[in-house]
Amino acid sequence: MITLTKEDGPADLDGVTHLSIGVSWDPTAGSSGGVLGKLRRKTGTDLDLIAVALQGGDPVRLAGLDSLDPLGNGALVHSGDNQTGHGDGDDETVTVEFARVPPNITSIVFVAAAYKKGSSFQKARNISFKVYDASGGSTQQVADIWPSLLTQDNGCAVARAIRVGGTWKLEVINTTGKVKQGDEHALMRFAVGN
């Protein structure tokens, strides 16, 4: 088992064959009450969890948005797009099976963003990122990462898995920033820069 915080630095993933990162959030009405507030809570807000696979410093594959299995072999799998934040548990999840990750992939950065126009972190409450050791058919939570509720940013670099020789390490990043909405290249630059 691993337990992570940002201050710990990279943690060895010895014995971890499958790692999952999930994001959950609750929709909010913002400062609107009444009918408009109820409508905003009902429609929710759309946050997206994206995993960017890097070869050195270059993004080469993207799990999320409309790509659920970008490596085509089940090594990096996205659960699908939740556009509202409604429901219990994680709203979106990315799972990595390390043995299947091609050797040219040197790291994977996990980013959450209010990527679509009109979405924002300010329209969501209780945003939480959870890291799970999903090895051996069981799932055990090893970290709970909470970005600041005061951020005016719309992106958060959550964590990074790094290949070190034949093993992997995981570090918590939890850094927010601005990502141009609807711009995949801006999203990838944000992932590379963190």
Side-chain angles (χ1 to χ4, degrees):
M1 180 182 138
I2 55 172
T3 303
L4 298 172
T5 67
K6 185 174 181 175
E7 295 73 31
D8 291 336
D12 288 326
L13 294 178
D14 293 333
V16 177
T17 60
H18 294 70
L19 182 84
S20 292
I21 295 191
V23 62
S24 62
W25 69 95
D26 298 325
T28 180
S31 60
S32 301
V35 174
L36 186 56
K38 286 181 184 178
L39 180 61
R40 285 189 181 152
R41 272 190 299 277
K42 186 175 181 181
T43 58
T45 193
D46 188 6
L47 302 185
D48 292 293
L49 179 63
I50 298 115
V52 180
L54 300 165
Q55 181 175 314
D58 291 324
V60 293
R61 292 291 185 270
L62 187 79
L65 304 176
D66 59 358
S67 182
L68 301 183
D69 185 6
L71 297 171
N73 68 353
L76 187 61
V77 178
H78 194 284
S79 63
D81 189 16
N82 179 321
Q83 298 182 358
T84 65
H86 290 290
D88 293 332
D90 295 322
D91 296 307
E92 295 187 16
T93 308
V94 174
T95 301
V96 180
E97 185 177 344
F98 291 113
R100 291 186 179 197
V101 176
N104 61 313
I105 302 298
T106 56
S107 63
I108 302 167
V109 178
F110 301 89
V111 174
Y115 179 71
K116 295 180 179 83
K117 293 187 190 259
S119 292
S120 73
F121 279 15
Q122 293 78 36
K123 293 181 180 177
R125 288 274 191 274
N126 304 323
I127 300 171
S128 179
F129 307 107
K130 292 180 175 57
V131 180
Y132 303 95
D133 178 349
S135 304
S138 64
T139 303
Q140 182 176 10
Q141 184 178 333
V142 295
D144 200 0
I145 305 163
W146 298 349
S148 171
L149 290 172
L150 295 176
T151 185
Q152 296 297 310
D153 294 329
N154 68 327
C156 181
V158 180
R160 174 183 15 253
I162 308 156
R163 188 190 299 267
V164 180
T167 63
W168 287 85
K169 293 182 179 278
L170 184 75
E171 68 178 327
V172 172
I173 303 171
N174 196 15
T175 301
T176 62
K178 299 268 188 225
V179 177
K180 183 177 178 185
Q181 290 183 320
D183 183 343
E184 272 190 35
H185 287 103
L187 186 65
M188 288 184 273
R189 283 190 299 274
F190 179 70
V192 169
N194 282 291

